[in-house]
Amino acid sequence: MKVRLLNDGGYWGLSAVKFPVIVDAIYDGEGLCKVPASELRAIGFTTSGYFESLCFFVGSECELIEAVNE
């Protein structure tokens, strides 16, 4: 699914990214979207550690904009 990230969600590695930005994500059905590391790196996320994804709250940190039929 596609989501629009509205802000950095408090993650320091996204401080240089210009928001809003659209990325692929996985919606958990309970108000959180998990954005894969590959999507975050593509928009300029900087980190020295390993991670698989970061979570963002729907409504305050991201908007659902496009569902993908599976």
Side-chain angles (χ1 to χ4, degrees), residues 25-48:
I26 300 165
Y27 180 56
D28 76 352
E30 297 185 19
L32 284 177
C33 285
K34 294 180 182 179
V35 180
S38 59
E39 289 289 309
L40 295 167
R41 287 188 187 103
I43 64 169
F45 183 78
T46 56
T47 183
S48 60

Side-chain angles (χ1 to χ4, degrees), residues 7 9 16 28 33-35 42 49 54 62-65:
N7 56 58
D28 76 352
C33 285
K34 294 180 182 179
V35 180
L54 296 178
C62 70
E63 298 173 335
L64 306 178
I65 60 171

Side-chain angles (χ1 to χ4, degrees), residues 5-58:
L5 294 180
L6 303 174
N7 56 58
D8 64 15
Y11 298 108
W12 64 267
L14 290 171
S15 60
V17 176
K18 182 175 174 154
F19 293 94
V21 63
I22 296 172
V23 295
D24 288 325
I26 300 165
Y27 180 56
D28 76 352
E30 297 185 19
L32 284 177
C33 285
K34 294 180 182 179
V35 180
S38 59
E39 289 289 309
L40 295 167
R41 287 188 187 103
I43 64 169
F45 183 78
T46 56
T47 183
S48 60
Y50 173 80
F51 65 98
E52 292 181 14
S53 63
L54 296 178
C55 293
F56 294 83
F57 290 105
V58 174

